[in-house]
Amino acid sequence: MKLIIFACLACVSLAAPQLPNPVAITRDDRTDNGDGTFNYVFEADNGIAAQASGVRGFQGQSNIEGSYRFPLDDGSGFVEVRYVADENGFRAESPFLPTPHPTPAHVIELLRIAEEQRAAGITFE
């Protein structure tokens, strides 16, 4: 009986989730001026980092410019993304972001035909 209980406890301890190594925060600087302007920088010892700064926009919003990075799963390097968020929307740049496929020629032709029909006042319901 003791052997069965010991075996059950051993199985439960082996099945317990393994916690990842803790990550130390090496830098965390933040400034918020309360008027829509701010700045922050965040870095961890595993290479994860983020930084952003915000200024007041024309419509009272915060316009933000920043970047973030994190290590690739295989350890071969880092993914870095730079972004801007302002009156013109959110725009991100990185060689790791997916890009849309080119529009096929037949779709371009259909869009041209549809534009001609709209200009001629033709509508479909």
Side-chain angles (χ1 to χ4, degrees), residues 30-112:
R30 305 172 199 208
T31 305
D32 184 356
N33 299 320
D35 61 354
T37 61
F38 67 90
N39 190 22
Y40 73 82
V41 178
F42 171 87
E43 294 176 3
D45 68 353
N46 64 354
I48 294 175
Q51 67 85 24
S53 59
V55 296
R56 287 186 52 91
F58 296 117
Q59 300 169 348
Q61 79 285 357
S62 287
N63 289 343
I64 303 169
E65 185 172 336
S67 66
Y68 58 90
R69 75 173 188 178
F70 55 91
L72 292 167
D73 289 337
D74 62 5
S76 63
F78 290 90
V79 172
E80 183 162 353
V81 178
R82 298 190 174 281
Y83 63 90
V84 174
D86 58 14
E87 292 90 357
N88 299 317
F90 178 81
R91 298 173 309 283
E93 296 176 356
S94 174
F96 292 94
L97 293 175
T99 57
H101 295 288
T103 305
H106 71 279
V107 173
I108 293 172
E109 178 64 16
L110 290 171
L111 291 171
R112 185 192 62 74

